[in-house]
C-alpha cells in the first residue's frame, strides 16, 4: 500500500506541468545566491533493530545455508507473465525449495514420530520394558553413566532454554514493534503530507526569488554611468592620456623656456653693458698709471727697476671679457611669444573634460531607456508571480491528500486487529505441546524462510526491482512499464530501481521520473520569453559618444611651429664658453696688492702716492664691477644650461608627440563607436546573466530539489523493509529458529531423562554389587 501510495504521489505531482530546456550558461554573477529552504521529515531513513539484529543475522545465515540458491528471477518473471506451469516445471520449484522442503520434511517427521514414539514408549513401560522394570541392576559403569546422563541432560536443557528464550524474545520483539507500527505509520503519513504541503510553498518561493535579479538589475541601471561610462573611459585612457600629458608638458616647457629666455636675455644685456664699462674703467686706469710712470723720479737708478716692472705688468689690463659677439635672444623670445598665444594647456584640459564627461553623457542618453526598462522588469515580475495561479497544483494535491487520509484510515482500522492477534500469539505459544509447537515451527519456517528469500533479501539487494524492470514484463506492449505508465512513452528507460534509488537520495520528481521527455521547465515558468524581451530592450539601448577632438587645428599648427622654432639650434656652446671665462685676465685685487707692495719700496713722494691711489682704484673696480659681472655671468650660464637641457631633442620630441597625437586621433575616430557598442553589449550581457542565472537555478531546483521524493522511498522502506521484514519476518524467523531448536532437542532430552531416571527411582529390588572379588568368592 505504501509503495502504491509513493508512486501515485510521484505521478500526481508531475501532472499538468509544462516547460523548456535548461539554460546552458555557467556564468555565476556575484551577489546572487539562491537556495531552496530545506524540509525536515519525522521518519528516519534508516532502521536499527538494536541488539536483536545479531540474532536476526544468525537466522539469515541459517536460512542462507538451508536455501543457498539465488533469487528465482526467471520463475518470477514467468509467473507474472502467466507462462509458468507448476505441473510441468515443478522440478524447478523443487530444486529451488529443496533445502526448505528437507527441513520441513524433518519437522513433519518429528510431528508424526513424536506422538507415535511416545505412545509405544508408554506401551513398553506398561509391559515392564523400556525402563519400566522396578529392579535396579548394578553395573561397574553405573556412576560414570549417571554423570554422563546428568551432564548431557543439563547441556541439552541449556540449549532448549536458549531456544525458548529466542522464541520469547522474538515474540516480545514482534509485540513491541507491532505496537510501534502506529507511530511508524503516523510518521510516514505525516511526511507524505509535509511533502504535499511544502510543494506550493516551494513554487511560490522559487517565483519570489525573481526579485533578487530584478533588484540587482535596477542597481546596475542606476549606476550605468560608472558601469558603462567608466568602462569606455578606461578603454580610452591608456591611449589618450599619455598623448595629452605630452602636449601639456610641451606647453609647460614652452612657457618655462620663454621665461628663461627673457631672463637670460636680460642678463645678457646687463653683462654686455657691464663688460664694456669694465673695459673702459681698466683702460682709464692703465692710461693714468702710464702717465704716472713718466714721473722724473722713475729715471733715478734706484726707482727705475720698480717703474719698469710696473710698466710691463700693465699689459694685463688691456683685455677683459667681451660679450659683443653673443647674439641677442630677442628673436627667439618673440617667436615663443607668438606660440604662447595659443593656450595648449586649455586645449588639453578641454580634451580631458570631454573624456571625463563620458559617464555623465552615458547617463543622460540612457535616462529614458532606464525608466522604460524598469517598467518592463516590474511587469515581468508581476507575470512571474501570477504563474503559480496557472498551475493546477492545489487541485492535484487535494486529491492526494484525500487518498492519504483514506489510506491512513484503512491502516488504523486494521491495526487493532493485528495488535490483538499479536497478543494471542504471545499468550499461547508458550503452552503448546512439543509436536504442536513443531507443527507451528514448520509452518512458520516455510513461510518465514520463503518471505526472507523471496521478498526481504531481493528487496534489500534490489533484485526485486530488477525483475519488475524486465522489458515487456508487466505489459507486453511496453518495454518499460513505469515510463509507459508515467510518461506514456514506454521506450524511455525509466525503471523502478532507478526511481527508488533517486527518491532514496532525495532527488526531485523532475529528474527522478525523467519528466524532461514530456515537458520543459522554462516554458511553463515563462521566463525565457521574458528574458528574450529583456535582451530586445537592451539591444535598443543606443549610446552615442560624439567624436573627441584631442587638439584643434590651431593647436596642431602651434606644435608644428614649435618644432621649427629653432630654439634647440641656439649656439649654447658660445654662451656657455663666454660665461664660464673670467671677466679679467688677472685678479685685480692681487694685481693691486702687488702694485702697493712695489709702491711701498719707493721713496716718499708723488709717485708713491699716485701708485697707491691707482691700486685702490683697481680694488674698487674689482669690488664694484668685476664681482657683479661674475655673478651675472654665472646666472646666465645656469640659465643657458637649463635651456640647453630643456630644448635638447626638441624637434624629435615634438615630432613624436605629433605622431602619437595623429595616431590616437585616428584611433578615436575609428574605434570609439566600437568601444561604446562593446561596453553596451557587456552591460546588457551582465543584466541578462542575472536572469539567466536565476533561470538556471530555477531549472536546477525544479529538476533536482523541487518536490524531493525521499518520503515516498521512506514510506516504501517502512512498509516492506521495516514493517514486513523487520517487524514480522525477522522475529517470525527467530521464533521458529529458537522454538524449532528447542523442540528438536526434546527427543534427546527425553531419552537422557529416562536413562537418568532409573538411577533415582525407588525400586522393589536391586543387585548388590561388590568390588572385591575375594570377598565375593568367600
Amino acid at each position: 500500500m505504501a509503495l502504491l501510495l509513493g508512486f501515485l504521489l510521484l505521478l500526481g505531482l508531475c501532472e499538468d506541468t509544462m516547460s523548456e530546456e535548461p539554460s546552458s550558461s555557467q556564468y555565476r554573477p556575484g551577489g546572487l545566491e539562491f537556495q531552496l529552504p530545506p524540509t525536515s521529515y519525522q521518519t528516519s531513513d534508516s532502521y536499527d533493530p538494536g541488539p536483536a539484529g545479531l540474532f536476526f543475522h544468525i537466522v539469515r545465515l541459517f536460512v542462507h545455508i538451508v536455501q543457498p540458491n539465488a533469487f528465482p528471477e526467471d520463475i518470477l518473471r514467468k509467473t507474472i507473465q502467466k507462462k509458468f506451469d507448476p505441473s510441468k516445471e515443478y522440478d524447478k520449484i523443487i530444486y529451488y525449495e529443496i533445502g526448505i522442503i528437507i527441513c520441513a520434511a524433518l519437522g513433519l517427521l518429528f510431528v508424526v514420530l513424536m506422538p507415535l514414539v511416545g505412545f509405544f514408549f508408554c506401551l513398553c513401560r506398561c509391559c515392564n520394558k523400556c525402563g519400566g522394570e522396578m529392579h535396579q541392576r548394578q553395573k561397574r559403569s553405573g556412576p560414570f553413566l549417571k554423570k554422563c546422563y546428568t551432564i548431557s541432560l543439563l547441556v541439552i536443557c541449556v540449549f532448549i532454554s536458549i531456544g525458548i528464550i529466542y522464541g520469547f524474545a522474538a515474540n516480545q520483539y514482534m509485540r513491541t514493534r507491532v505496537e510501534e507500527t502506529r507511530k511508524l505509520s503516523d510518521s510516514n503519513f505525516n511526511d507524505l503530507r509535509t511533502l504535499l504541503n511544502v510543494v506550493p510553498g516551494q513554487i511560490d518561493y522559487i517565483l519570489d526569488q525573481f526579485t533578487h535579479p530584478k533588484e540587482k538589475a535596477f542597481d546596475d541601471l542606476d549606476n550605468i554611468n560608472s558601469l558603462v561610462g567608466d568602462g569606455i573611459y578606461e578603454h580610452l585612457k591608456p591611449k589618450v592620456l599619455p598623448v595629452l600629458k605630452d602636449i601639456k608638458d610641451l606647453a609647460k616647457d614652452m612657457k618655462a623656456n620663454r621665461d628663461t629666455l627673457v631672463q637670460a636675455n636680460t642678463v645678457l644685456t646687463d653683462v654686455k653693458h657691464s663688460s664694456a664699462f669694465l673695459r673702459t674703467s681698466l683702460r682709464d686706469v692703465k692710461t693714468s698709471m702710464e702717465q704716472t710712470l713718466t714721473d722724473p723720479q722713475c729715471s733715478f737708478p734706484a726707482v727705475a727697476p720698480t717703474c719698469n716692472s710696473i710698466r710691463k705688468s700693465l699689459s694685463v689690463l688691456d683685455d677683459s671679457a667681451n660679450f659683443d659677439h653673443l647674439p641677442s635672444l630677442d628673436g627667439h623670445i618673440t617667436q615663443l611669444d607668438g606660440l604662447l598665444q595659443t593656450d595648449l594647456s586649455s586645449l588639453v584640459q578641454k580634451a580631458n573634460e570631454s573624456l571625463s564627461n563620458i559617464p555623465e553623457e552615458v547617463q543622460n542618453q540612457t535616462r529614458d531607456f532606464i525608466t522604460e526598462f524598469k517598467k518592463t522588469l516590474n511587469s515581468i515580475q508581476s507575470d512571474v508571480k501570477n504563474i503559480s495561479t496557472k498551475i493546477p497544483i492545489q487541485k492535484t494535491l487535494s486529491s492526494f491528500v484525500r487518498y492519504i487520509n483514506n489510506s491512513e484510515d484503512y491502516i488504523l482500522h486494521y491495526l487493532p486487529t493485528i495488535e490483538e492477534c499479536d497478543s494471542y500469539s504471545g499468550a499461547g505459544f508458550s503452552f503448546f505441546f512439543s509436536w504442536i509447537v513443531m507443527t507451528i515451527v514448520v509452518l512458520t519456517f516455510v513461510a518465514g524462510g520463503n518471505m526472507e528469500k523471496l521478498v526481504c533479501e531481493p528487496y534489500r539487494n534490489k533484485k526485486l526491482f530488477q525483475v519488475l524492470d524486465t522489458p515487456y514484463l508487466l505489459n507486453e506492449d511496453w518495454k518499460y512499464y513505469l515510463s509507459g505508465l508515467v510518461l506514456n512513452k514506454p521506450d524511455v528507460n525509466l525503471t523502478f530501481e532507478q526511481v527508488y534509488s533517486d527518491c532514496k537520495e532525495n532527488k526531485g520528481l523532475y529528474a527522478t521520473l525523467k519528466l524532461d521527455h514530456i515537458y520543459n521547465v522554462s516554458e511553463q515558468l515563462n521566463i525565457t520569453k521574458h528574458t528574450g524581451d529583456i535582451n530586445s530592450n537592451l539591444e535598443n539601448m543606443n549610446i552615442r559618444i560624439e567624436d573627441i577632438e584631442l587638439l584643434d587645428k590651431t593647436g596642431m599648427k602651434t606644435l608644428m611651429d614649435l618644432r621649427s622654432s629653432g630654439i634647440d639650434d641656439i649656439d649654447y656652446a658660445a654662451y656657455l664658453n663666454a660665461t664660464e671665462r673670467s671677466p679679467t685676465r688677472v685678479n685685480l685685487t692681487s694685481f693691486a696688492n702687488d702694485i702697493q707692495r712695489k709702491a711701498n719700496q719707493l721713496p716718499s713722494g708723488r709717485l708713491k702716492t699716485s701708485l697707491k691711489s691707482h691700486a685702490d682704484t683697481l680694488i674698487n673696480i674689482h669690488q664694484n664691477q668685476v664681482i657683479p659681472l661674475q655673478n651675472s655671468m654665472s646666472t646666465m650660464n645656469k640659465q643657458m644650461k637649463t635651456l640647453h637641457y630643456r630644448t635638447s631633442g626638441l624637434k624629435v620630441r615634438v615630432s613624436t608627440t605629433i605622431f602619437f597625437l595623429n595616431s590616437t586621433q585616428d584611433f578615436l575616430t575609428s574605434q570609439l563607436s566600437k568601444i561604446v557598442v562593446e561596453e553596451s553589449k557587456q552591460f546588457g550581457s551582465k543584466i541578462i546573466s542575472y536572469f539567466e542565472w536565476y533561470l538556471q537555478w530555477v531549472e536546477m531546483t525544479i529538476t533536482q530539489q523541487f518536490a524531493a521524493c525521499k518520503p515516498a522511498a521512506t514510506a516504501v522502506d517502512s512498509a516492506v523493509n521495516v514493517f514486513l521484514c523487520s517487524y514480522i519476518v525477522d522475529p517470525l524467523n527467530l521464533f521458529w529458529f529458537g522454538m524449532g531448536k528447542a523442540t528438536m532437542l526434546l527427543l534427546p532430552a527425553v531419552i537422557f531423562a529416562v536413562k537418568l531416571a532409573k538411577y533415582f527411582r525407588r525400586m522393589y529390588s536391586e543387585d548388590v554389587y561388590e568390588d572385591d572379588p575375594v570377598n565375593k568368592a568367600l
Side-chain angles (χ1 to χ4, degrees), residues 241-486:
L241 292 188
V243 175
L244 295 180
K245 182 179 183 302
D246 289 344
I247 298 174
K248 188 175 182 180
D249 291 342
L250 284 174
K252 182 178 179 182
D253 289 347
M254 188 165 57
K255 187 176 184 305
N257 291 340
R258 186 264 177 195
D259 294 339
T260 304
L261 279 172
V262 170
Q263 296 171 3
N265 196 46
T266 300
V267 175
L268 178 62
T269 302
D270 181 65
V271 166
K272 287 183 176 181
H273 179 269
S274 297
S275 63
F277 182 67
L278 176 61
R279 286 196 303 273
T280 301
S281 299
L282 292 177
R283 186 170 55 250
D284 292 343
V285 172
K286 179 182 178 183
T287 301
S288 179
M289 288 182 70
E290 285 177 345
Q291 289 178 356
T292 300
L293 292 175
T294 60
D295 189 282
Q297 192 176 3
C298 286
S299 59
F300 297 156
V303 177
T306 301
C307 291
N308 291 332
S309 175
I310 294 173
R311 189 179 293 111
K312 290 180 181 178
S313 64
L314 291 178
S315 61
V316 298
L317 299 179
D318 290 339
D319 296 328
S320 64
N322 188 354
F323 298 93
D324 293 338
H325 67 284
L326 296 178
S328 174
L329 300 174
D330 290 337
H332 297 292
I333 294 173
T334 302
Q335 192 174 23
L336 286 178
D337 286 339
L339 294 176
L340 288 173
Q341 290 181 358
T342 303
D343 193 349
L344 290 178
S345 297
S346 298
L347 297 178
V348 170
Q349 181 63 27
K350 182 179 179 181
N352 275 322
E353 289 177 355
S354 299
L355 289 173
S356 302
N357 290 335
I358 288 178
E360 183 179 357
E361 183 69 20
V362 169
Q363 190 171 28
N364 292 334
Q365 292 187 22
T366 57
R367 185 173 286 110
D368 294 337
F369 162 78
I370 291 174
T371 301
E372 293 300 321
F373 189 56
K374 286 183 177 180
K375 292 180 181 179
T376 301
L377 292 181
N378 287 326
S379 175
I380 293 174
Q381 184 178 19
S382 300
D383 294 341
V384 169
K385 287 186 176 180
N386 292 331
I387 288 176
S388 59
T389 61
K390 302 176 183 178
I391 303 177
I393 190 68
Q394 292 293 350
K395 180 180 178 181
T396 303
L397 295 180
S398 61
S399 62
F400 280 93
V401 170
R402 290 194 299 270
Y403 177 77
I404 291 176
N405 292 334
N406 294 335
S407 301
E408 187 175 21
D409 293 340
Y410 178 84
I411 291 177
L412 294 177
H413 177 73
Y414 286 98
L415 188 58
T417 304
I418 298 176
E419 294 173 347
E420 183 178 1
C421 293
D422 175 69
S423 65
Y424 293 155
S425 300
F429 279 153
S430 303
F431 302 100
F432 285 141
F433 293 103
S434 61
W435 66 276
I436 299 178
V437 173
M438 181 55 71
T439 302
I440 297 176
V441 167
V442 170
L443 294 178
T444 56
F445 167 71
V446 173
N450 280 293
M451 286 292 289
E452 172 65 28
K453 295 294 292 186
L454 295 177
V455 179
C456 298
E457 183 179 309
Y459 179 82
R460 284 191 291 266
N461 59 27
K462 300 182 182 179
K463 290 287 186 181
L464 190 60
F465 292 115
Q466 295 174 7
V467 172
L468 295 178
D469 291 331
T470 302
Y472 307 105
L473 177 67
L474 301 178
N475 190 316
E476 295 180 353
D477 298 327
W478 290 355
K479 183 176 181 180
Y480 297 103
Y481 179 78
L482 193 57
S483 62
L485 184 65
V486 177

Side-chain angles (χ1 to χ4, degrees), residues 545-580:
I545 304 298
E546 298 295 334
D547 292 339
I548 299 174
E549 187 177 43
L550 299 180
L551 202 64
D552 59 13
K553 295 180 179 179
T554 302
M556 181 65 73
K557 183 178 184 302
T558 299
L559 288 180
M560 298 180 71
D561 290 343
L562 177 62
R563 180 176 59 180
S564 59
S565 63
I567 298 176
D568 55 338
D569 294 332
I570 295 176
D571 189 3
Y572 291 101
Y575 289 94
L576 293 177
N577 290 332
T579 55
E580 288 173 354

Side-chain angles (χ1 to χ4, degrees), residues 720-769:
V720 179
N721 192 45
V722 178
F723 177 74
L724 178 61
C725 295
S726 295
Y727 287 6
I728 304 298
V729 175
D730 282 345
L732 184 66
N733 288 339
L734 183 61
F735 170 79
W736 61 250
F737 181 76
M739 297 304 293
K741 180 177 69 172
T743 306
M744 290 294 293
L745 291 176
L746 281 177
L747 185 58
V750 170
I751 294 174
F752 285 118
V754 171
K755 290 288 187 180
L756 185 61
K758 66 180 181 178
Y759 293 101
F760 296 96
R761 293 176 61 193
R762 182 182 296 276
M763 298 294 182
Y764 297 147
S765 62
E766 63 178 344
D767 294 338
V768 178
Y769 176 76

